Amino acid sequence: MTSLTGLRREMMPVLAMTSPPGVDSLTDLPLTPGQPLFRSRLLLGGFLPAGTSALTLLSLEPGSGFVEQSPMTGMAQWRHERRLTDAGTGCKVTDTLEFEPKILPDVTAALIRMFFDHRHRRLRRMFGQMP
């Protein structure tokens, strides 16, 4: 959840986000809630520029969750909350999104749903499916 390599693995091959050199984890950076940690380029397929995000966390609890509210290209508002909850022999990942696209809200909502479905499939492949 805090590993940038892990986040890239979760998002690819659909999208990649850049990070500062030498930063391996979100916990490597001092967190001031509401202040950007770094500016990231968003790359479709890992290479095609698709915008930027000023990665901003409101809270980060390693192993439990985070709330991200980042200024992002194409979005008037973006808020992503991820929670990890104990589920017996594993954990349950819950992503809650609130966003307001600047254009094509229905198309954008469908694309974001597909992207997060993809992320959850990748997580199940990486860590296993709960029985």
Side-chain angles (χ1 to χ4, degrees):
M1 182 178 76
T2 61
S3 161
L4 292 171
T5 299
L7 289 171
R8 284 186 196 97
R9 285 181 55 206
E10 178 184 328
M11 293 191 285
M12 282 298 289
V14 176
L15 187 71
M17 56 185 284
T18 63
S19 59
V23 176
D24 298 319
S25 172
L26 296 176
T27 58
D28 291 347
L29 300 166
L31 174 63
T32 302
Q35 296 299 312
L37 289 172
F38 57 85
R39 188 170 180 82
S40 177
R41 288 182 293 130
L42 305 173
L43 306 168
L44 283 175
F47 63 90
L48 184 65
T52 60
S53 171
L55 185 66
T56 305
L57 297 176
L58 301 181
S59 66
L60 175 62
E61 303 164 41
S64 296
F66 63 77
V67 178
E68 172 208 0
Q69 190 165 310
S70 299
M72 187 180 305
T73 301
M75 294 289 172
Q77 178 202 2
W78 174 264
R79 180 183 167 95
H80 173 202
E81 180 176 350
R82 175 167 282 185
R83 291 288 161 219
L84 304 179
T85 53
D86 185 31
T89 60
C91 75
K92 179 180 177 183
V93 177
T94 304
D95 287 307
T96 305
L97 300 166
E98 297 174 25
F99 56 90
E100 184 183 335
K102 291 180 181 175
I103 60 168
L104 301 171
D106 293 336
V107 172
T108 302
L111 291 171
I112 289 171
R113 178 179 299 275
M114 287 188 294
F115 178 58
F116 274 82
D117 287 346
H118 162 77
R119 290 179 75 169
H120 284 238
R121 281 191 305 276
R122 297 276 295 184
L123 287 168
R124 284 190 297 275
R125 272 189 240 131
M126 287 189 290
F127 298 106
Q129 176 71 39
M130 296 272 310

